[in-house]
Amino acid sequence: MGSVRIAVCGCLLATCILHFGHGFVASGSAKSANSAHLRASVASLGCTTASPLHSNYMVCTSATALLASALTAITFLGLRSKPFAGHHRCRDALRSSTSRATTVACHATGHALIMQNKGGGHGEIGYHLSKALEAKGLKVTMLQDSAAKRTKAPFSLYDDDLKDTNIVWLDPEDMSAYADAAAAAVKDGPPVTHIFDNYSKSPSQIAPLLAIAKASSDFKLYSFISSAGMYTGKGELKETTTIKDPPTGQREVEMTLDKELPKKWASFRPQYIYGPFTNKRGYLDWFLERASRGLPLPIPGDGSQPVNLAHCDDVASLLSSVVGSEEAAGGECFNCGTSMQVTYRALCDAAGKAVGKDVEVVSLPAGTKTSFPFRPNAEGFYVNVDKAKSKLGWAGPKHDVMEDIASGGFYTKDYVTLGLDKGDIDTSKDMPA
């Protein structure tokens, strides 16, 4: 505690010397004001002056400043050699503040490169991911497979909704042209810090993106959008669940990235995705199509199996959560979905309520393969996303499929607007042959 008093007194003495010097070299009313200010400051601290301040004493300001600086330095050197508890708290607070500032900066800067496929179950990820990354302050360049239908959403919405995204259409099947176009797309921009690969299904296909990652001095993370289809387990699926052997193409990509970019890659394994511009409507339309036409809904088992249906916005939110958490994500695989499971039977009932009709649910033996859109086993097949929450700080989903498929939900409204409740549907595979 003694060192604290010495430190305070030393700082006050240095301050006093500076005030004295300024007061002595000032003239007229300014000098009087400085002297009065100093006496008031000293008195407020419970100290007294040895003699009155006299205006005739002239002090060289440079010498005054030098002496004050020396006293201040000596004071803090003393503190350095004899730290006190408050010193540690101040130091820790400063470090904490610096850490928070660094995190904010990390979220506010960077250049993300997205490689988007032509469509299918992952077809709308690029659209929503671009928005999520730009909301975090990143510049976004998206390489779009030219095989996508430009007249179909979400691709048709790029010009209006992604005005700040640099979108380059290319043919990724022509590897040489792909590599050249990808390099040219980012050549004049800031260094690429993040890559989100929503295209590759084999190690050979990642070569152009891998080259960009290795060439960037500021590169942080290559996020590969893989697939939960590689799991061989049933029921709840965690990242430690057994995967197929021999490995799938997506698993081979994960292993290649681990070799080529150690600790600078992460893999995300999505399951069933739905959304406003989905390219694969069958997951929910299967239920609505039959309910709206008064047709039976044949399901495997008793329908109590859980399923994971994630909104595309929530998928984009989870993927973009690596920004600022690159070190935690590096070298890891994450399930990608929602934390709110629903059952097969609940979806049947919800579809009936959405169209205002009673539904006839037909129970088939578990394991029976039909047109049913999910796995027919008795245990279900759904991913657990706790790892993304704990390691990446993902807040969890904002959307609930049961609300979205309700009569007032966006999905059912789109279903009706598109006229999907009219006409005939193919039910030839609804029942086993």
Side-chain angles (χ1 to χ4, degrees), residues 257-274:
L257 287 172
D258 190 46
K259 178 181 177 181
E260 298 291 335
L261 289 174
K263 298 300 182 182
K264 285 196 173 184
W265 71 278
S267 177
F268 294 86
R269 299 167 176 173
Q271 197 169 25
Y272 304 119
I273 303 173
Y274 75 97

Side-chain angles (χ1 to χ4, degrees), residues 28 69 126 140 145 156 161 233 237 246 251 313 324 335 374 393 405 423 429:
S69 300
V140 178
D145 184 348
S156 61
D161 295 355
L237 307 169
R251 177 54 185 162
D313 275 344
N335 285 333
F374 309 126
I405 201 178
K429 296 182 180 180

